[in-house]
Amino acid sequence: MQLRVGIDIGGTTTVVGLVDESGKVLLKNTFLTGNEPSPNTLILAIKTWILIKAKALNAEIISIGIGAPNGNIHSGNIEHSPNLPWKGIVPLSELFFKALNVPVKLTNDANAAALGEWIFGAAKNCPNFLFITLGTGLGSGIVSENKMIYGHTGMASELGHVIMEEGGRLCGCGRKGCAETYCSATGLVKTYAELTQIDSSKLTARLIFEKARNNEPEALKAFDLLTDSLSLLLVNAVAFTSPEKIFIFGGLAQAGNLLMKPLQEKFEARLQNIYKKTVQIQFSGLKENDAAILGAVALSMQA
Amino acid sequence: MQLRVGIDIGGTTTVVGLVDESGKVLLKNTFLTGNEPSPNTLILAIKTWILIKAKALNAEIISIGIGAPNGNIHSGNIEHSPNLPWKGIVPLSELFFKALNVPVKLTNDANAAALGEWIFGAAKNCPNFLFITLGTGLGSGIVSENKMIYGHTGMASELGHVIMEEGGRLCGCGRKGCAETYCSATGLVKTYAELTQIDSSKLTARLIFEKARNNEPEALKAFDLLTDSLSLLLVNAVAFTSPEKIFIFGGLAQAGNLLMKPLQEKFEARLQNIYKKTVQIQFSGLKENDAAILGAVALSMQA
């Protein structure tokens, strides 16, 4: 049996899946991404797990696809990621190739998830869409006229780092007021902490979500501010690539209609006339972790 | 002799050119776009001029390409243009086809100019670039991986209507705070009028440009605020499509280094680390009016 490996590297956890030719995730495991200055420990742990499982399944590993924050498809490196412990330029493709000696492809984690949505999820046959992940940060992937947009650098589509508020919240990228400091799980926590004066280290997005469900005014206000910011970001995104659909993915998607309904309403109200009723916002059609794994696998299948 | 017609429709004037197969503009004429509620008078004037000139040159007209604000390549209509006297949906391709009985293609005026830059100008062989026109409004065209981005609606790339300042200046599109209310000739005039309390109807961008050249503090301040806003817009644009080059075109480009030098410096300083030194801002390589005409002609040559 031949298997492909899909790896989804996140700020907190890294998920690895073994996927067969039909696109079925046979096995999956979660690793802590860790706080070490290099990815060597993580790579060793993943390598060990893959080799043990491949042997048990009597399988041959034929490719690895990786989705990682600030992953550059052109170079195979992770470049200056504000949300990972590894600083500067990390040659992750090369390191995995050395560890496992099979072809490796790497891209932005959000691009990989967008590929997963495109090939296996709700974006099937959709030539123009925008994919947004709301987790620790805000990631995005843009497909325009049946092509994933990578740009000159291979690092296009960093909507989390669109500056929305000059002189605003400090971002992990070193600048101020980036979209992801407002529109993300972390952003929601910061907003709620500001509204309540509660120490943000004692808060999680899930907790605020539960409070909002119980109609706590500050939690509802935090969601209100979140959908204000996110609707503006998405309205502006439409002025760039005019997508047909916008998919919302990631931890915050679990907030369901608390997020989606006001987001859709504010978005439609703020759209420029020429775009009204041309764009639909919906949740991703993929399970949280499988999208990124399947997307990474799809990436590894590309020439 | 076979000739193609390139038409550049602007808020104030419309320029029409007769172009031969080598891309040479043989004849050119400028028409007032006018204030009438329909384009019929303009079309009749253009038709008459074309027929007279074609007869004089003993030439056959084989195609028409049109660049117009809010021109939709999919429908051939101008749709809800805030900067033209014709409101709602105007079937301009159909009207020109009826008038002259040759194939007509229409797109956004900025997309047409970007096509001109790509085929005849400084963007030759550049697969990833952003084209910005700073005139009455702010127009833009995005080429990504060797494709012009039209999006689901055919109306992608409206960077002039990226909302930069919530509750800011009223825009022709009916919303507030759009980029073009700050980053355009009109925006520069508004800024200077605010700084000096001079009635904006007594001002032109050229006048402010001359005052700035003479080091008038308010005029310098108006340019400073313009490059603040424009650099932020362009920095955010890089986070979408990561272009290799950004071309500045249109009336404001005549301000030369008064615009370009601070723009380049602020832009580079504000870029996210991963994009630093990957993008070059430069002036368009085309003559003001010919870019749009040649772009429209190039459009009309496409299948």
Side-chain angles (χ1 to χ4, degrees):
Chain A
M1 179 168 51
Q2 293 190 321
L3 296 179
R4 296 177 191 272
V5 180
I7 302 178
D8 172 35
I9 295 184
T12 311
T13 58
T14 291
V15 184
V16 182
L18 298 182
V19 179
D20 71 13
E21 291 292 310
S22 76
K24 194 175 161 197
V25 182
L26 298 185
L27 282 169
K28 203 164 73 175
N29 199 8
T30 300
F31 300 80
L32 286 174
T33 304
N35 291 312
E36 295 186 17
S38 105
N40 291 337
T41 306
L42 178 66
I43 292 171
L44 185 61
I46 292 173
K47 174 187 171 176
T48 307
W49 181 78
I50 290 172
L51 292 180
I52 289 170
K53 295 304 175 186
K55 196 168 180 190
L57 291 166
N58 195 24
E60 179 196 3
I61 302 297
I62 57 171
S63 73
I64 299 174
I66 306 172
N70 296 74
N72 186 331
I73 193 162
H74 293 167
S75 65
N77 299 332
I78 295 180
E79 302 185 0
H80 306 287
S81 174
N83 294 322
L84 288 177
W86 321 316
K87 298 307 170 201
I89 291 178
V90 183
L92 204 71
S93 288
E94 193 188 330
L95 293 171
F96 268 104
F97 177 74
K98 281 184 181 160
L100 286 152
N101 204 32
V102 291
V104 182
K105 287 199 94 171
L106 172 143
T107 188
N108 186 298
D109 52 343
N111 283 344
L115 273 173
E117 193 76 54
W118 202 14
I119 293 165
F120 302 106
K124 258 184 206 168
N125 304 317
C126 185
N128 293 285
F129 71 92
L130 173 60
F131 182 90
I132 301 282
T133 77
L134 301 172
T136 309
L138 185 157
S140 61
I142 304 172
V143 169
S144 184
E145 293 169 40
N146 274 315
K147 275 178 105 167
M148 174 79 63
I149 292 188
Y150 292 116
H152 173 59
T153 56
M155 308 275 279
S157 191
E158 286 280 344
L159 270 58
H161 298 283
V162 166
I163 294 174
M164 295 190 73
E165 194 77 42
E166 285 190 89
R169 290 178 182 166
L170 186 64
C171 182
C173 77
R175 302 179 308 161
K176 285 183 175 176
C178 289
E180 74 174 18
T181 68
Y182 303 91
C183 309
S184 65
T186 319
L188 180 71
V189 165
K190 275 187 192 149
T191 301
Y192 185 79
E194 284 172 15
L195 291 169
T196 59
Q197 307 295 324
I198 295 173
D199 187 338
S200 65
S201 67
K202 291 175 185 152
L203 295 167
T204 64
R206 176 169 293 278
L207 186 73
I208 299 162
F209 168 44
E210 280 159 15
K211 286 175 187 287
R213 274 230 172 125
N214 292 320
N215 292 313
E216 195 210 72
E218 290 82 4
L220 289 172
K221 181 71 185 168
F223 267 94
D224 190 39
L225 292 170
L226 172 70
T227 53
D228 274 356
S229 300
L230 187 54
S231 63
L232 180 60
L233 179 70
L234 298 183
V235 160
N236 283 346
V238 171
F240 281 85
T241 59
S242 182
E244 181 183 6
K245 294 188 175 176
I246 299 175
F247 296 98
I248 306 290
F249 179 78
L252 270 189
Q254 289 164 30
N257 265 336
L258 200 64
L259 177 78
M260 186 55 86
K261 224 170 152 265
L263 178 62
Q264 285 172 332
E265 285 170 8
K266 290 176 187 179
F267 172 78
E268 193 64 33
R270 302 175 95 173
L271 269 182
Q272 195 186 348
N273 271 341
I274 57 169
Y275 300 124
K276 278 194 193 292
K277 296 187 180 163
T278 70
V279 202
Q280 200 189 340
I281 308 181
Q282 61 187 77
F283 285 123
S284 164
L286 292 165
K287 282 204 294 179
E288 173 77 22
N289 283 323
D290 285 2
I293 288 176
L294 291 173
V297 164
L299 176 74
S300 84
M301 294 162 74
Q302 293 180 338
Chain B
M1 179 170 49
Q2 292 191 323
L3 296 178
R4 296 177 191 271
V5 180
I7 303 178
D8 172 34
I9 295 184
T12 310
T13 58
T14 291
V15 184
V16 182
L18 298 182
V19 179
D20 72 12
E21 291 293 309
S22 75
K24 192 173 165 202
V25 181
L26 298 185
L27 282 170
K28 200 163 70 173
N29 199 8
T30 301
F31 300 80
L32 287 174
T33 303
N35 290 311
E36 296 186 17
S38 105
N40 291 337
T41 305
L42 177 67
I43 292 171
L44 185 61
I46 292 173
K47 173 188 172 177
T48 306
W49 181 79
I50 290 172
L51 291 180
I52 289 170
K53 295 304 175 186
K55 195 167 179 189
L57 292 166
N58 195 23
E60 180 197 5
I61 302 298
I62 57 169
S63 72
I64 299 174
I66 307 171
N70 295 75
N72 185 330
I73 194 164
H74 292 167
S75 66
N77 300 332
I78 295 178
E79 303 184 358
H80 305 286
S81 173
N83 294 323
L84 288 178
W86 322 315
K87 297 308 169 196
I89 292 179
V90 183
L92 205 71
S93 287
E94 192 188 330
L95 293 171
F96 268 104
F97 178 73
K98 280 185 181 160
L100 286 152
N101 204 32
V102 292
V104 181
K105 288 199 95 173
L106 173 145
T107 189
N108 186 297
D109 52 343
N111 283 344
L115 273 173
E117 193 77 53
W118 202 15
I119 293 166
F120 302 106
K124 259 183 208 170
N125 304 319
C126 185
N128 293 285
F129 71 91
L130 173 60
F131 182 89
I132 301 282
T133 77
L134 300 173
T136 309
L138 185 158
S140 61
I142 304 171
V143 169
S144 184
E145 292 168 44
N146 273 316
K147 274 178 106 169
M148 173 79 62
I149 292 188
Y150 292 115
H152 173 57
T153 56
M155 308 274 281
S157 190
E158 285 281 343
L159 271 60
H161 298 283
V162 165
I163 293 173
M164 296 190 73
E165 194 77 43
E166 285 191 89
R169 291 179 182 165
L170 185 64
C171 181
C173 77
R175 302 179 307 162
K176 284 183 174 176
C178 289
E180 74 174 18
T181 68
Y182 302 91
C183 309
S184 64
T186 320
L188 180 71
V189 166
K190 276 188 195 150
T191 302
Y192 184 78
E194 284 172 15
L195 291 169
T196 59
Q197 307 295 323
I198 295 174
D199 187 338
S200 64
S201 67
K202 291 175 185 152
L203 295 168
T204 63
R206 174 168 292 279
L207 186 74
I208 299 163
F209 168 44
E210 279 161 15
K211 286 174 187 287
R213 274 232 170 124
N214 291 322
N215 291 314
E216 195 212 70
E218 290 83 4
L220 289 172
K221 181 71 185 168
F223 267 94
D224 191 38
L225 292 171
L226 173 70
T227 53
D228 274 356
S229 299
L230 187 55
S231 63
L232 179 60
L233 179 69
L234 298 183
V235 160
N236 283 345
V238 171
F240 281 85
T241 59
S242 183
E244 180 183 8
K245 294 189 175 176
I246 298 175
F247 296 98
I248 306 290
F249 179 78
L252 272 187
Q254 290 166 28
N257 265 336
L258 200 63
L259 177 78
M260 186 54 86
K261 224 170 152 264
L263 178 63
Q264 285 171 332
E265 285 170 10
K266 291 176 188 179
F267 172 79
E268 194 63 33
R270 302 175 95 173
L271 270 182
Q272 194 185 348
N273 272 341
I274 58 169
Y275 301 124
K276 279 195 193 292
K277 296 188 180 161
T278 69
V279 202
Q280 198 190 340
I281 307 182
Q282 62 186 77
F283 285 123
S284 164
L286 291 166
K287 281 204 295 179
E288 173 78 20
N289 283 322
D290 285 2
I293 288 175
L294 291 174
V297 164
L299 175 74
S300 84
M301 292 163 74
Q302 293 182 337

